[in-house]
Amino acid sequence: MTPLKGNLIFGQSGGPTSVINASAAGVFLEALDHPDIIPGVFGMHHGIEGVLKDDLFDISGEDRRELDFLCGTPSSILGTCRYKLANPDADDGDYEKILAILRKYDIRYFFYNGGNDSMDTCSKVSRYLQSNHYDCRVIGIPKTVDNDLFGTDHCPGYGSSARYIATSIAEVWQDTHSYTTPMAVVFECMGRHAGWLAGASALAGVIGCGPDLLYLPEVPFDPDRMVRDARKILGQKNVVLISVSEGIMTADGRLVAEQLSSRRADAFGHKQLGGTAALLADLLASELGVKVRGIEFSLLQRSAAHCASGIDIEEAFLAGRTGVKAAISGASGVMMGYARPDQGPYRCDIIHVPLDVVANREKNFPLEWINKEGNGVTRDFIDYAFPLIQGEPHQVHEQGLPRFARLKKIPAGQGIQKEKTLSPSK
Amino acid sequence: MTPLKGNLIFGQSGGPTSVINASAAGVFLEALDHPDIIPGVFGMHHGIEGVLKDDLFDISGEDRRELDFLCGTPSSILGTCRYKLANPDADDGDYEKILAILRKYDIRYFFYNGGNDSMDTCSKVSRYLQSNHYDCRVIGIPKTVDNDLFGTDHCPGYGSSARYIATSIAEVWQDTHSYTTPMAVVFECMGRHAGWLAGASALAGVIGCGPDLLYLPEVPFDPDRMVRDARKILGQKNVVLISVSEGIMTADGRLVAEQLSSRRADAFGHKQLGGTAALLADLLASELGVKVRGIEFSLLQRSAAHCASGIDIEEAFLAGRTGVKAAISGASGVMMGYARPDQGPYRCDIIHVPLDVVANREKNFPLEWINKEGNGVTRDFIDYAFPLIQGEPHQVHEQGLPRFARLKKIPAGQGIQKEKTLSPSK
């Protein structure tokens, strides 16, 4: 088939990761290699909101060298959003605006990088454009540190957060095991509904520096049970390291974090938010009388590009680059997913997953990967996650600090590529 | 002079750092290069407590390759302690034990690596041995992430924590600035009495990703003032990043952390500890109605060897190695301090600082390096600290995780070096 000629637009959505910009680099650099098919490349300023506001960047005018630096730059360089499009059957106002902008800039390649909601946005846009007979290839690029995206073996961003968590816990293991005084440390990892990130704590166990206890949101959390487990460990050694997911809930279905939030007020009389690790550390201090530390990885775990997984960066880049190649070849309405062989050494293959299959579904943490005591993970999980944290980060340092990409962020329509990229609206 | 022949002992004391083991490597590797003068090298298991309990390791039996790995291994490989020796005039029981052990193992070189208290220990041991006419060279090696050790330009460990804090804040800056929703983030750095570590947050500003507001313990902290400062920033942009020292106190001399501790109870009715960042984040949430995050660097900031400063590692190693050379040449009763030239490019020279000058004194953060608004640091501080975060970490990775040193930790007297290192007691 003759390739569809027209411009490409790319947007980032949802919570940032250490490697979402690597996918951006993959899309941009590949697209810029096909000026005959894709004369202009645009970026959405704050995702779909940028399209609705006609607030776009002209990527064609950026230096290639700076685009390369994206692979070591965390977060969403174009800006992100959490905007949820209405159902087009109920209200197609947003879609009319989107189509008008696509026509205005002659966009024929629509790329959206995000999680469940973003794939839903992508899916809705794809169906609307089809039903309005506007020829445009719509491609979803996965992203989420939570690793809960359906239809893919794993998600770009997860491996890097997993590597950061495992490395940090191993280093704190070294720190806490240098004392003779008994101590309990509670680590808090992201993951409201799925234990993928908290589970990654167990990877530190590969070098003998993992947590002793691990509590995932898939298993009802019992504070007394944790205290008993911790007391048992402290009967054998000086230190107990515990890692939990922010989403752990007691049997009554209430988040431990919410119980904290609803029952604690700070020194100035204001309501306290979050802090599951701090809460559980306090509990252990009073129940076991040991020194405690609560360590919440917070935003660090999704932005620590200095400790990213090389494999994760390469796969995130590949998802973007392969997406452009696939779209040029005619693919549309699909997400670039990851697959690995059932047997043999780890390998990551890019697969096409229909957007409506991905949208608004979650990939749960397999219950059979949680030990029967409900306080750890099995070897199967380690075998799954370990390949994903391999390889060194691609971050370049200048004078001891990260060298982040510096984009000109040229407003679309004002850039040096203006004449080239703006063809008359249809 | 003819060099003093006898064995060497080295101990680590106080809170660990990312590079205290690099000093150990410097001492061990240099000492092992002088078998004619120093036939045996020992390590104290948990600092001076290991001496008092005759619990020592025979380092002579370790693989050199593993000793090299110490430069990428955080915390105190030999184990640490916080034991404070009595005043020998009041009670010399401990000193008699120490002297007996030194005689038993024919120790003629006594090395102790730590902060203020450790230099006090070192100083007392030195004077006791002198007054008892036991010929032994006593050398102190500095260490503390707090950078508050007197008599040295800076302390081993500080540069690495500073680099980790600056890098992490720069990465979180990238994360938070990708949203359109207003947000306030409060970072909490170590430093009970001195603002050296919180000040290091400002190094992220060198690449335009630093905190907007910075509060050090040297200036009385006013919560309302912080809210006003933050509101002003949020009038200009979407995000305000605030970094504070754990030691900030209100004008009445009470730690903000203590106010939290004394007035908050957790969901299970227990007392809550620490959490200055969380407290201030809550305050900002309720006063400004913005999304907030409190991020406490906790133990991460002193154990993150994966983000250590190359300069810091090299200087820590140099302090240990130079200490051994100096002791062989006759130096005793001194700490290996750092000095830099007043003018010209940064250079680190090792100086000898008398132990009794260092002991139990603190190097304060210069008040003239705090801006007149009391919410930031001056260029002079940046010029001081920036050279200390240069250079890449020396951490080796295996399969995506840190390769920590694996010492055999051969008990002294049972090691393969036994015959060689144990000469008859005097």
Side-chain angles (χ1 to χ4, degrees):
Chain A
M1 67 192 284
T2 56
L4 176 66
K5 184 168 180 180
N7 298 318
L8 179 146
I9 195 166
F10 173 82
Q12 299 168 318
S13 177
T17 78
S18 291
V19 306
I20 189 169
N21 289 329
S23 291
V27 169
F28 293 154
L29 292 170
E30 182 64 28
L32 292 170
D33 277 349
H34 303 278
D36 50 333
I37 300 167
I38 304 172
V41 178
F42 297 97
M44 306 177 193
H45 192 195
H46 296 296
I48 199 68
E49 287 180 10
V51 177
L52 292 169
K53 295 173 184 168
D54 194 359
D55 184 4
L56 312 178
F57 300 124
D58 183 349
I59 303 300
S60 317
E62 299 289 350
D63 298 337
R64 298 285 288 244
R65 179 159 172 278
E66 292 300 327
L67 296 179
D68 289 335
F69 280 125
L70 285 173
C71 290
T73 305
S75 187
S76 306
I77 194 82
L78 304 175
T80 186
C81 70
R82 294 198 180 277
Y83 191 87
K84 198 163 170 64
L85 289 175
N87 183 328
D89 308 327
D91 169 17
D92 66 354
D94 283 346
Y95 299 88
E96 285 177 8
K97 284 186 202 155
I98 292 168
L99 179 53
I101 294 297
L102 297 189
R103 288 189 193 283
K104 174 179 176 182
Y105 293 94
D106 189 28
I107 304 294
R108 299 295 171 173
Y109 295 92
F110 182 98
F111 279 65
Y112 212 48
N113 191 181
N116 294 310
D117 293 347
S118 309
M119 292 308 127
D120 177 58
T121 299
C122 229
S123 179
K124 287 171 175 167
V125 167
S126 178
R127 276 185 274 108
Y128 182 84
L129 296 180
Q130 273 185 335
S131 58
N132 284 266
H133 312 295
Y134 181 79
D135 195 358
C136 181
R137 311 271 164 81
V138 178
I139 302 289
I141 307 293
K143 174 257 21 165
T144 173
V145 294
D146 293 330
N147 203 44
D148 58 357
L149 209 43
F150 190 82
T152 182
D153 175 78
H154 57 284
C155 299
Y158 173 66
S160 293
S161 292
R163 187 176 199 248
Y164 172 80
I165 288 169
T167 300
S168 298
I169 289 178
E171 289 174 329
V172 169
W173 189 101
Q174 293 286 331
D175 185 295
T176 52
H177 285 73
S178 65
Y179 288 96
T180 51
T181 45
M183 185 173 187
V185 179
V186 182
F187 300 96
E188 179 179 343
C189 306
M190 286 182 170
R192 280 266 146 192
H193 311 298
W196 295 107
L197 278 176
S201 309
L203 293 170
V206 172
I207 54 171
C209 302
D212 304 286
L213 301 167
L214 187 49
Y215 301 102
L216 310 187
E218 287 78 5
V219 179
F221 181 76
D222 176 357
D224 302 326
R225 171 81 190 291
M226 178 196 69
V227 170
R228 277 202 308 278
D229 289 348
R231 182 179 282 115
K232 194 173 160 195
I233 303 284
L234 287 172
Q236 301 151 2
K237 57 197 194 82
N238 258 343
V239 182
V240 59
L241 298 188
I242 303 171
S243 190
V244 304
S245 166
E246 65 180 349
I248 51 171
M249 293 184 291
T250 44
D252 57 7
R254 290 163 61 227
L255 284 167
V256 170
E258 275 173 9
Q259 296 176 46
L260 172 69
S261 164
S262 61
R263 293 178 56 174
R264 181 186 287 175
D266 69 33
F268 302 103
H270 306 296
K271 189 163 168 261
Q272 153 79 333
L273 316 164
T276 304
L279 164 70
L280 298 178
D282 300 343
L283 179 63
L284 291 163
S286 54
E287 291 295 316
L288 303 177
V290 294
K291 192 177 169 193
V292 297
R293 287 272 191 178
I295 298 179
E296 185 179 347
F297 288 119
S298 189
L299 300 180
L300 301 169
Q301 69 199 289
R302 74 180 193 192
S303 59
H306 73 273
C307 192
S309 149
I311 287 277
D312 189 25
I313 293 167
E314 285 151 32
E315 292 176 350
F317 184 90
L318 186 67
R321 194 178 65 183
T322 308
V324 173
K325 288 177 176 171
I328 289 173
S329 304
S332 187
V334 292
M335 179 186 82
M336 296 294 109
Y338 293 161
R340 78 171 88 188
D342 297 335
Q343 304 293 333
Y346 175 80
R347 188 183 78 237
C348 181
D349 302 318
I350 302 293
I351 55 171
H352 295 192
V353 188
L355 288 168
D356 49 15
V357 170
V358 183
N360 300 315
R361 290 170 70 174
E362 282 191 353
K363 189 179 72 182
N364 300 320
F365 190 96
L367 295 179
E368 60 271 25
W369 286 0
I370 301 174
N371 68 8
K372 64 181 192 314
E373 298 78 14
N375 59 15
V377 292
T378 67
R379 181 73 218 177
D380 287 341
F381 169 74
I382 300 295
D383 294 340
Y384 163 82
F386 193 59
L388 311 182
I389 67 167
Q390 303 306 308
E392 295 303 302
H394 294 212
Q395 193 171 65
V396 176
H397 293 100
E398 279 179 2
Q399 296 189 292
L401 292 167
R403 169 61 162 89
F404 298 134
R406 300 174 196 139
L407 301 192
K408 299 176 201 159
K409 297 194 175 175
I410 305 156
Q414 300 169 31
I416 56 180
Q417 302 291 315
K418 183 175 180 181
E419 272 39 82
K420 194 167 111 205
T421 56
L422 293 189
S423 51
S425 306
K426 299 236 169 96
Chain B
M1 66 192 286
T2 56
L4 176 64
K5 184 169 181 179
N7 297 319
L8 179 145
I9 194 164
F10 172 82
Q12 299 168 318
S13 176
T17 77
S18 292
V19 305
I20 189 169
N21 289 329
S23 291
V27 169
F28 293 154
L29 293 169
E30 182 64 28
L32 293 170
D33 276 349
H34 303 277
D36 51 333
I37 301 167
I38 304 172
V41 179
F42 298 98
M44 307 177 193
H45 192 194
H46 295 296
I48 199 67
E49 286 181 8
V51 177
L52 293 167
K53 296 173 183 169
D54 193 359
D55 183 4
L56 311 178
F57 300 125
D58 182 349
I59 303 301
S60 318
E62 299 290 350
D63 298 337
R64 298 284 287 244
R65 179 158 171 282
E66 292 300 327
L67 295 179
D68 289 334
F69 279 124
L70 286 172
C71 290
T73 305
S75 187
S76 305
I77 193 82
L78 303 175
T80 186
C81 71
R82 295 197 179 277
Y83 191 87
K84 200 162 168 64
L85 289 174
N87 183 327
D89 307 329
D91 170 16
D92 66 355
D94 284 345
Y95 299 88
E96 285 177 7
K97 284 186 202 156
I98 292 169
L99 179 51
I101 295 297
L102 297 189
R103 289 190 193 281
K104 175 179 176 182
Y105 294 93
D106 190 28
I107 304 294
R108 299 297 172 173
Y109 296 91
F110 182 98
F111 279 65
Y112 213 49
N113 191 181
N116 294 308
D117 292 347
S118 308
M119 293 309 126
D120 177 58
T121 299
C122 228
S123 179
K124 286 171 175 167
V125 167
S126 179
R127 275 185 274 106
Y128 182 84
L129 297 180
Q130 272 186 336
S131 58
N132 286 267
H133 313 294
Y134 181 80
D135 195 359
C136 182
R137 311 268 163 85
V138 178
I139 301 289
I141 307 295
K143 173 255 28 163
T144 173
V145 295
D146 293 332
N147 203 43
D148 59 356
L149 208 43
F150 190 82
T152 182
D153 175 77
H154 58 283
C155 299
Y158 173 65
S160 293
S161 292
R163 186 177 200 246
Y164 172 80
I165 288 169
T167 300
S168 298
I169 289 178
E171 290 174 328
V172 170
W173 189 102
Q174 292 286 331
D175 185 294
T176 52
H177 284 74
S178 66
Y179 288 95
T180 51
T181 45
M183 185 172 189
V185 179
V186 183
F187 299 98
E188 179 179 343
C189 306
M190 285 181 170
R192 280 265 147 192
H193 311 298
W196 294 108
L197 278 176
S201 309
L203 293 170
V206 172
I207 54 171
C209 303
D212 303 287
L213 301 169
L214 188 49
Y215 301 102
L216 310 186
E218 287 77 6
V219 178
F221 181 76
D222 175 357
D224 302 326
R225 171 81 192 290
M226 177 196 70
V227 171
R228 277 202 308 277
D229 289 348
R231 183 178 282 116
K232 194 173 159 193
I233 302 284
L234 287 172
Q236 301 151 2
K237 55 196 195 84
N238 257 344
V239 182
V240 59
L241 298 188
I242 302 171
S243 190
V244 304
S245 166
E246 65 181 348
I248 52 171
M249 293 184 291
T250 43
D252 57 8
R254 290 164 61 226
L255 283 167
V256 170
E258 274 174 8
Q259 297 178 45
L260 173 69
S261 164
S262 62
R263 295 176 56 173
R264 182 185 284 175
D266 70 33
F268 302 105
H270 306 297
K271 190 159 165 266
Q272 154 79 332
L273 315 165
T276 305
L279 165 70
L280 298 178
D282 301 343
L283 178 63
L284 291 163
S286 55
E287 291 294 318
L288 303 177
V290 295
K291 193 176 168 193
V292 297
R293 287 272 190 178
I295 298 178
E296 185 179 348
F297 288 120
S298 189
L299 300 180
L300 301 169
Q301 69 199 288
R302 74 179 194 193
S303 57
H306 73 273
C307 192
S309 149
I311 286 277
D312 188 25
I313 294 167
E314 286 151 30
E315 292 177 351
F317 183 89
L318 187 69
R321 195 178 63 184
T322 308
V324 173
K325 289 176 175 172
I328 289 174
S329 304
S332 186
V334 292
M335 178 186 83
M336 297 292 111
Y338 294 161
R340 76 172 90 186
D342 296 335
Q343 303 293 333
Y346 174 81
R347 190 184 75 237
C348 180
D349 302 319
I350 302 292
I351 56 172
H352 296 192
V353 188
L355 288 168
D356 49 15
V357 170
V358 183
N360 299 315
R361 290 170 70 174
E362 282 192 352
K363 188 179 74 182
N364 299 321
F365 189 94
L367 295 179
E368 61 271 24
W369 286 359
I370 301 173
N371 68 8
K372 63 183 195 310
E373 298 78 14
N375 59 16
V377 292
T378 67
R379 181 74 218 176
D380 287 342
F381 169 74
I382 300 297
D383 294 340
Y384 163 83
F386 193 59
L388 310 182
I389 66 166
Q390 303 307 308
E392 297 302 304
H394 294 210
Q395 193 170 65
V396 176
H397 294 100
E398 279 180 1
Q399 297 188 288
L401 291 168
R403 169 61 161 90
F404 298 134
R406 300 173 195 140
L407 299 193
K408 299 175 200 158
K409 297 193 175 176
I410 305 154
Q414 300 170 30
I416 57 180
Q417 302 291 315
K418 185 175 178 179
E419 271 41 79
K420 193 168 114 208
T421 55
L422 293 189
S423 51
S425 306
K426 297 234 169 97

